[in-house]
Amino acid sequence: PIIKELFGLSDLEEAVREAFGLKRVVIVPGDSDTSEHIKVELGRAGSRVLGNSLSSGDVVAVMGGSTMARMASHFTTSNQMKDNWFVPARGGLGESVDYQANTIASELAKRAGARYRMLHVPDHLSEEAYQTIMQEPNVREVVDMIRGARIVVHGIGDAATMARRRKLKEETMEELVKDGALAEAFGYYFDRDGKVVHRMATVGLRLEDIEAAGLVIGIAGGSSKGEAIASVMRFGHDDVLVTDEAAAIEALKHI
Ligand code: BG6
C-alpha cells in the first residue's frame, strides 16, 4: 500500500535509499526480467555511475555476470583514463567466458583507455591448490591490487539461480536451502538478514576488502531479484545501488 502511494522514480529512489541506508540509489523504469531493453538501460545507468565516480589512479575491481557485461559494453568516458586500473574482483566462479570478471575488466579498460590485469585461477580450488597458487608472484601481485581496490562493482543474484548456474554440488545446494540462502554476490551467499552462510573458494576480494573499499556499487534488477537485493543491502556494505523499478518495489516488500 505504501508503495502504491509513491509516484515518480525519484520518490522510489529515496524510499530505497532510506530503507537500506545507502548513499545513493539510481532506478531505471521497468523490469529487466521481462525486457532486454530495460536490462541494457540498467547497464547503461550503472556505467554512468561508475564513470562519474572514477578519479585518477583508481583501481576498480569488477565482478562478472550478465548485468555487469551490459554495464561494460555501454561504458564511455569523456577523458582517457590512462592511470586507472580495472581488475577482476575474484578468480573463477564458474561463469561462461562472456560473463567472467576477467572479460568485463578488460572490456572496461579498453573502453576507458585504462589498464587492466587478469587473474587466471581455475574454479573450485582445493585448499592445497589455493595455497600453491597464492605463492605465484604474478597471482600474488594481482591479488594485492584487487584487495586494495578503491571501487568495487558487482551484480547480485538469487541464491538458487546462481547455485545452479555455477553447478554447485547437490549437497551444497541442500545446505544453502537449509541455511536460508537467498542471495549471492561476489561468490558469497547471504540469508535474509544479510549474514554470509556460504562462500565459494577462490582467490581475490574478501569480505574485509569490501568493507574497506571506498565505494561499493551494486547493479541488479528484475522483480525476481528483489528479495536477493534486499538481503545483500542488509549485509550493509554497498554505497550505491543501481536497479530497476520492478526490483526496487519487490525489495521494499522485504525490509
Ligand atoms: C555478479 C556477481 O556480478 O553478478 C554475482 O558477482 C551475481 O555474485 C551475479 O550473482 C548476477 O549475475 P547476473 O547475470 O544476474 O547479472
Side-chain angles (χ1 to χ4, degrees):
I2 197 169
I3 293 158
K4 294 221 181 78
E5 281 159 30
L6 297 166
F7 56 93
L9 286 184
S10 52
D11 289 340
L12 191 55
E13 287 172 344
E14 183 51 26
V16 173
R17 196 195 64 72
E18 202 169 325
F20 299 107
L22 296 162
K23 292 207 182 87
R24 191 173 166 212
V25 174
V26 175
I27 298 177
V28 300
D31 184 350
S32 49
D33 275 350
T34 53
S35 158
E36 169 59 24
H37 168 72
I38 303 296
K39 192 150 178 176
V40 168
E41 286 308 311
L42 177 65
R44 219 192 285 276
S47 75
R48 269 194 301 269
V49 169
L50 176 60
N52 293 335
S53 310
L54 278 175
S55 307
S56 156
D58 276 344
V59 175
V60 183
V62 299
M63 288 297 321
S66 60
T67 314
M68 289 292 298
R70 282 165 184 77
M71 191 276 283
S73 61
H74 291 93
F75 189 74
T76 48
T77 54
S78 43
N79 37 347
Q80 286 261 311
M81 307 235 152
K82 284 202 198 65
D83 59 354
N84 282 111
W85 289 90
F86 288 88
V87 292
R90 298 198 66 198
L93 291 172
E95 295 280 12
S96 62
V97 167
D98 287 352
Y99 294 167
Q100 278 169 18
N102 271 331
T103 310
I104 289 161
S106 66
E107 163 105 21
L108 282 167
K110 280 177 199 149
R111 298 184 67 89
R115 291 185 279 183
Y116 65 92
R117 294 290 300 268
M118 303 276 91
L119 186 60
H120 295 294
V121 178
D123 303 337
H124 309 305
L125 282 180
S126 69
E127 184 58 31
E128 203 189 339
Y130 172 86
Q131 295 303 344
T132 311
I133 240 170
M134 283 299 277
Q135 277 155 33
E136 282 296 319
N138 180 48
V139 171
R140 189 73 248 183
E141 210 181 290
V142 182
V143 167
D144 286 344
M145 201 162 176
I146 293 167
R147 291 182 174 169
R150 187 181 80 85
I151 302 180
V152 176
V153 193
H154 68 92
I156 296 167
D158 159 73
T161 308
M162 293 311 295
R164 269 195 306 275
R165 190 160 113 191
R166 288 174 175 164
K167 302 190 176 59
L168 297 197
K169 287 197 216 100
E170 200 51 51
E171 60 210 75
T172 316
M173 298 243 205
E174 280 161 24
E175 264 170 52
L176 284 176
V177 173
K178 197 179 93 246
D179 293 341
L182 285 180
E184 191 272 354
F186 19 84
Y188 290 78
Y189 288 81
F190 301 86
D191 69 7
R192 58 172 305 147
D193 301 320
K195 197 174 110 239
V196 174
V197 292
H198 180 76
R199 58 165 291 180
M200 290 180 76
T202 185
V203 300
L205 214 66
R206 301 156 301 181
L207 286 182
E208 61 257 48
D209 306 316
I210 295 166
E211 289 162 18
L215 179 67
V216 181
I217 305 170
I219 311 177
S223 59
S224 65
K225 286 190 184 182
E227 194 173 15
I229 291 170
S231 101
V232 174
M233 292 307 115
R234 213 164 282 124
F235 164 64
H237 294 290
D238 279 85
D239 299 292
V240 181
L241 172 66
V242 183
T243 187
D244 63 24
E245 196 179 359
I249 289 170
E250 212 38 57
L252 284 178
K253 293 181 188 159
H254 298 280
I255 47 175

PDB file of all heavy atoms in Angstrom, residues 131-150:
ATOM      1  N   GLN A 131      46.673 -22.587  -1.705  1.00  0.00           N
ATOM      2  CA  GLN A 131      47.933 -22.171  -1.070  1.00  0.00           C
ATOM      3  C   GLN A 131      49.063 -22.089  -2.092  1.00  0.00           C
ATOM      4  O   GLN A 131      49.865 -21.156  -2.074  1.00  0.00           O
ATOM      5  CB  GLN A 131      48.319 -23.141   0.061  1.00  0.00           C
ATOM      6  CG  GLN A 131      47.343 -23.164   1.241  1.00  0.00           C
ATOM      7  CD  GLN A 131      47.145 -21.793   1.894  1.00  0.00           C
ATOM      8  OE1 GLN A 131      47.923 -20.863   1.693  1.00  0.00           O
ATOM      9  NE2 GLN A 131      46.064 -21.665   2.664  1.00  0.00           N
ATOM     10  N   THR A 132      49.113 -23.058  -2.989  1.00  0.00           N
ATOM     11  CA  THR A 132      50.173 -23.085  -4.006  1.00  0.00           C
ATOM     12  C   THR A 132      50.037 -21.903  -4.958  1.00  0.00           C
ATOM     13  O   THR A 132      50.997 -21.188  -5.241  1.00  0.00           O
ATOM     14  CB  THR A 132      50.106 -24.405  -4.811  1.00  0.00           C
ATOM     15  OG1 THR A 132      50.033 -25.475  -3.877  1.00  0.00           O
ATOM     16  CG2 THR A 132      51.319 -24.578  -5.707  1.00  0.00           C
ATOM     17  N   ILE A 133      48.825 -21.697  -5.429  1.00  0.00           N
ATOM     18  CA  ILE A 133      48.584 -20.649  -6.423  1.00  0.00           C
ATOM     19  C   ILE A 133      48.883 -19.264  -5.852  1.00  0.00           C
ATOM     20  O   ILE A 133      49.420 -18.386  -6.534  1.00  0.00           O
ATOM     21  CB  ILE A 133      47.133 -20.773  -6.974  1.00  0.00           C
ATOM     22  CG1 ILE A 133      47.213 -20.993  -8.468  1.00  0.00           C
ATOM     23  CG2 ILE A 133      46.269 -19.586  -6.654  1.00  0.00           C
ATOM     24  CD1 ILE A 133      45.942 -21.369  -9.116  1.00  0.00           C
ATOM     25  N   MET A 134      48.587 -19.089  -4.568  1.00  0.00           N
ATOM     26  CA  MET A 134      48.828 -17.793  -3.941  1.00  0.00           C
ATOM     27  C   MET A 134      50.317 -17.481  -3.802  1.00  0.00           C
ATOM     28  O   MET A 134      50.696 -16.345  -3.546  1.00  0.00           O
ATOM     29  CB  MET A 134      48.147 -17.725  -2.571  1.00  0.00           C
ATOM     30  CG  MET A 134      46.654 -17.512  -2.653  1.00  0.00           C
ATOM     31  SD  MET A 134      46.203 -15.968  -3.451  1.00  0.00           S
ATOM     32  CE  MET A 134      46.368 -14.833  -2.082  1.00  0.00           C
ATOM     33  N   GLN A 135      51.144 -18.516  -3.949  1.00  0.00           N
ATOM     34  CA  GLN A 135      52.586 -18.254  -3.867  1.00  0.00           C
ATOM     35  C   GLN A 135      53.185 -17.819  -5.200  1.00  0.00           C
ATOM     36  O   GLN A 135      54.340 -17.419  -5.266  1.00  0.00           O
ATOM     37  CB  GLN A 135      53.300 -19.502  -3.342  1.00  0.00           C
ATOM     38  CG  GLN A 135      53.254 -19.559  -1.819  1.00  0.00           C
ATOM     39  CD  GLN A 135      53.368 -20.965  -1.291  1.00  0.00           C
ATOM     40  OE1 GLN A 135      54.039 -21.789  -1.896  1.00  0.00           O
ATOM     41  NE2 GLN A 135      52.716 -21.230  -0.183  1.00  0.00           N
ATOM     42  N   GLU A 136      52.402 -17.920  -6.270  1.00  0.00           N
ATOM     43  CA  GLU A 136      52.867 -17.445  -7.571  1.00  0.00           C
ATOM     44  C   GLU A 136      52.974 -15.918  -7.529  1.00  0.00           C
ATOM     45  O   GLU A 136      51.965 -15.245  -7.278  1.00  0.00           O
ATOM     46  CB  GLU A 136      51.850 -17.826  -8.664  1.00  0.00           C
ATOM     47  CG  GLU A 136      51.909 -19.257  -9.108  1.00  0.00           C
ATOM     48  CD  GLU A 136      53.233 -19.576  -9.774  1.00  0.00           C
ATOM     49  OE1 GLU A 136      53.730 -18.728 -10.553  1.00  0.00           O
ATOM     50  OE2 GLU A 136      53.772 -20.656  -9.477  1.00  0.00           O
ATOM     51  N   PRO A 137      54.190 -15.368  -7.779  1.00  0.00           N
ATOM     52  CA  PRO A 137      54.343 -13.910  -7.663  1.00  0.00           C
ATOM     53  C   PRO A 137      53.355 -13.132  -8.529  1.00  0.00           C
ATOM     54  O   PRO A 137      52.797 -12.121  -8.078  1.00  0.00           O
ATOM     55  CB  PRO A 137      55.773 -13.667  -8.144  1.00  0.00           C
ATOM     56  CG  PRO A 137      56.460 -14.970  -8.023  1.00  0.00           C
ATOM     57  CD  PRO A 137      55.434 -16.050  -8.125  1.00  0.00           C
ATOM     58  N   ASN A 138      53.082 -13.624  -9.729  1.00  0.00           N
ATOM     59  CA  ASN A 138      52.172 -12.933 -10.632  1.00  0.00           C
ATOM     60  C   ASN A 138      50.738 -12.873 -10.072  1.00  0.00           C
ATOM     61  O   ASN A 138      50.075 -11.839 -10.118  1.00  0.00           O
ATOM     62  CB  ASN A 138      52.211 -13.649 -11.989  1.00  0.00           C
ATOM     63  CG  ASN A 138      51.298 -12.983 -12.987  1.00  0.00           C
ATOM     64  OD1 ASN A 138      51.347 -11.758 -13.127  1.00  0.00           O
ATOM     65  ND2 ASN A 138      50.471 -13.773 -13.640  1.00  0.00           N
ATOM     66  N   VAL A 139      50.305 -13.987  -9.513  1.00  0.00           N
ATOM     67  CA  VAL A 139      48.963 -14.049  -8.908  1.00  0.00           C
ATOM     68  C   VAL A 139      48.918 -13.157  -7.665  1.00  0.00           C
ATOM     69  O   VAL A 139      48.008 -12.353  -7.475  1.00  0.00           O
ATOM     70  CB  VAL A 139      48.585 -15.511  -8.548  1.00  0.00           C
ATOM     71  CG1 VAL A 139      47.307 -15.561  -7.733  1.00  0.00           C
ATOM     72  CG2 VAL A 139      48.456 -16.348  -9.813  1.00  0.00           C
ATOM     73  N   ARG A 140      49.944 -13.284  -6.847  1.00  0.00           N
ATOM     74  CA  ARG A 140      50.042 -12.511  -5.608  1.00  0.00           C
ATOM     75  C   ARG A 140      49.913 -11.007  -5.878  1.00  0.00           C
ATOM     76  O   ARG A 140      49.203 -10.280  -5.187  1.00  0.00           O
ATOM     77  CB  ARG A 140      51.417 -12.848  -4.991  1.00  0.00           C
ATOM     78  CG  ARG A 140      51.703 -12.355  -3.606  1.00  0.00           C
ATOM     79  CD  ARG A 140      50.941 -13.107  -2.571  1.00  0.00           C
ATOM     80  NE  ARG A 140      49.965 -12.195  -1.978  1.00  0.00           N
ATOM     81  CZ  ARG A 140      49.164 -12.517  -0.987  1.00  0.00           C
ATOM     82  NH1 ARG A 140      49.182 -13.736  -0.475  1.00  0.00           N
ATOM     83  NH2 ARG A 140      48.334 -11.642  -0.495  1.00  0.00           N
ATOM     84  N   GLU A 141      50.640 -10.589  -6.916  1.00  0.00           N
ATOM     85  CA  GLU A 141      50.650  -9.164  -7.277  1.00  0.00           C
ATOM     86  C   GLU A 141      49.256  -8.666  -7.658  1.00  0.00           C
ATOM     87  O   GLU A 141      48.809  -7.616  -7.205  1.00  0.00           O
ATOM     88  CB  GLU A 141      51.576  -9.017  -8.483  1.00  0.00           C
ATOM     89  CG  GLU A 141      52.281  -7.705  -8.603  1.00  0.00           C
ATOM     90  CD  GLU A 141      53.139  -7.723  -9.851  1.00  0.00           C
ATOM     91  OE1 GLU A 141      54.156  -8.471  -9.866  1.00  0.00           O
ATOM     92  OE2 GLU A 141      52.766  -7.034 -10.811  1.00  0.00           O
ATOM     93  N   VAL A 142      48.564  -9.450  -8.497  1.00  0.00           N
ATOM     94  CA  VAL A 142      47.215  -9.052  -8.912  1.00  0.00           C
ATOM     95  C   VAL A 142      46.267  -9.090  -7.714  1.00  0.00           C
ATOM     96  O   VAL A 142      45.447  -8.194  -7.528  1.00  0.00           O
ATOM     97  CB  VAL A 142      46.682  -9.950 -10.055  1.00  0.00           C
ATOM     98  CG1 VAL A 142      45.308  -9.480 -10.509  1.00  0.00           C
ATOM     99  CG2 VAL A 142      47.645  -9.952 -11.230  1.00  0.00           C
ATOM    100  N   VAL A 143      46.408 -10.130  -6.883  1.00  0.00           N
ATOM    101  CA  VAL A 143      45.530 -10.257  -5.713  1.00  0.00           C
ATOM    102  C   VAL A 143      45.710  -9.060  -4.772  1.00  0.00           C
ATOM    103  O   VAL A 143      44.734  -8.495  -4.261  1.00  0.00           O
ATOM    104  CB  VAL A 143      45.761 -11.605  -4.990  1.00  0.00           C
ATOM    105  CG1 VAL A 143      45.100 -11.609  -3.616  1.00  0.00           C
ATOM    106  CG2 VAL A 143      45.216 -12.750  -5.830  1.00  0.00           C
ATOM    107  N   ASP A 144      46.959  -8.623  -4.586  1.00  0.00           N
ATOM    108  CA  ASP A 144      47.196  -7.457  -3.722  1.00  0.00           C
ATOM    109  C   ASP A 144      46.520  -6.216  -4.291  1.00  0.00           C
ATOM    110  O   ASP A 144      45.969  -5.391  -3.551  1.00  0.00           O
ATOM    111  CB  ASP A 144      48.705  -7.203  -3.558  1.00  0.00           C
ATOM    112  CG  ASP A 144      49.338  -8.240  -2.644  1.00  0.00           C
ATOM    113  OD1 ASP A 144      48.589  -8.934  -1.913  1.00  0.00           O
ATOM    114  OD2 ASP A 144      50.581  -8.389  -2.670  1.00  0.00           O
ATOM    115  N   MET A 145      46.584  -6.098  -5.612  1.00  0.00           N
ATOM    116  CA  MET A 145      45.968  -4.956  -6.275  1.00  0.00           C
ATOM    117  C   MET A 145      44.440  -5.000  -6.082  1.00  0.00           C
ATOM    118  O   MET A 145      43.809  -3.986  -5.774  1.00  0.00           O
ATOM    119  CB  MET A 145      46.307  -5.054  -7.761  1.00  0.00           C
ATOM    120  CG  MET A 145      46.211  -3.798  -8.495  1.00  0.00           C
ATOM    121  SD  MET A 145      47.134  -4.028 -10.032  1.00  0.00           S
ATOM    122  CE  MET A 145      46.778  -2.481 -10.776  1.00  0.00           C
ATOM    123  N   ILE A 146      43.857  -6.179  -6.256  1.00  0.00           N
ATOM    124  CA  ILE A 146      42.408  -6.362  -6.091  1.00  0.00           C
ATOM    125  C   ILE A 146      41.996  -5.989  -4.669  1.00  0.00           C
ATOM    126  O   ILE A 146      41.027  -5.266  -4.453  1.00  0.00           O
ATOM    127  CB  ILE A 146      42.024  -7.836  -6.379  1.00  0.00           C
ATOM    128  CG1 ILE A 146      42.240  -8.174  -7.853  1.00  0.00           C
ATOM    129  CG2 ILE A 146      40.583  -8.123  -5.944  1.00  0.00           C
ATOM    130  CD1 ILE A 146      42.187  -9.657  -8.169  1.00  0.00           C
ATOM    131  N   ARG A 147      42.763  -6.480  -3.707  1.00  0.00           N
ATOM    132  CA  ARG A 147      42.381  -6.271  -2.306  1.00  0.00           C
ATOM    133  C   ARG A 147      42.493  -4.816  -1.879  1.00  0.00           C
ATOM    134  O   ARG A 147      41.883  -4.396  -0.906  1.00  0.00           O
ATOM    135  CB  ARG A 147      43.213  -7.180  -1.402  1.00  0.00           C
ATOM    136  CG  ARG A 147      42.804  -8.630  -1.605  1.00  0.00           C
ATOM    137  CD  ARG A 147      43.536  -9.602  -0.722  1.00  0.00           C
ATOM    138  NE  ARG A 147      42.968 -10.934  -0.904  1.00  0.00           N
ATOM    139  CZ  ARG A 147      43.503 -12.052  -0.444  1.00  0.00           C
ATOM    140  NH1 ARG A 147      44.642 -12.003   0.238  1.00  0.00           N
ATOM    141  NH2 ARG A 147      42.913 -13.198  -0.652  1.00  0.00           N
ATOM    142  N   GLY A 148      43.271  -4.054  -2.646  1.00  0.00           N
ATOM    143  CA  GLY A 148      43.405  -2.632  -2.325  1.00  0.00           C
ATOM    144  C   GLY A 148      42.536  -1.740  -3.194  1.00  0.00           C
ATOM    145  O   GLY A 148      42.685  -0.515  -3.159  1.00  0.00           O
ATOM    146  N   ALA A 149      41.629  -2.321  -3.987  1.00  0.00           N
ATOM    147  CA  ALA A 149      40.814  -1.516  -4.918  1.00  0.00           C
ATOM    148  C   ALA A 149      39.989  -0.474  -4.159  1.00  0.00           C
ATOM    149  O   ALA A 149      39.414  -0.769  -3.118  1.00  0.00           O
ATOM    150  CB  ALA A 149      39.882  -2.422  -5.720  1.00  0.00           C
ATOM    151  N   ARG A 150      39.926   0.741  -4.709  1.00  0.00           N
ATOM    152  CA  ARG A 150      39.087   1.759  -4.065  1.00  0.00           C
ATOM    153  C   ARG A 150      37.618   1.560  -4.424  1.00  0.00           C
ATOM    154  O   ARG A 150      36.724   1.834  -3.633  1.00  0.00           O
ATOM    155  CB  ARG A 150      39.516   3.177  -4.481  1.00  0.00           C
ATOM    156  CG  ARG A 150      38.757   4.262  -3.668  1.00  0.00           C
ATOM    157  CD  ARG A 150      39.124   5.677  -4.068  1.00  0.00           C
ATOM    158  NE  ARG A 150      38.469   6.144  -5.272  1.00  0.00           N
ATOM    159  CZ  ARG A 150      37.253   6.680  -5.318  1.00  0.00           C
ATOM    160  NH1 ARG A 150      36.520   6.797  -4.226  1.00  0.00           N
ATOM    161  NH2 ARG A 150      36.743   7.103  -6.471  1.00  0.00           N
TER     162      ARG A 150
END
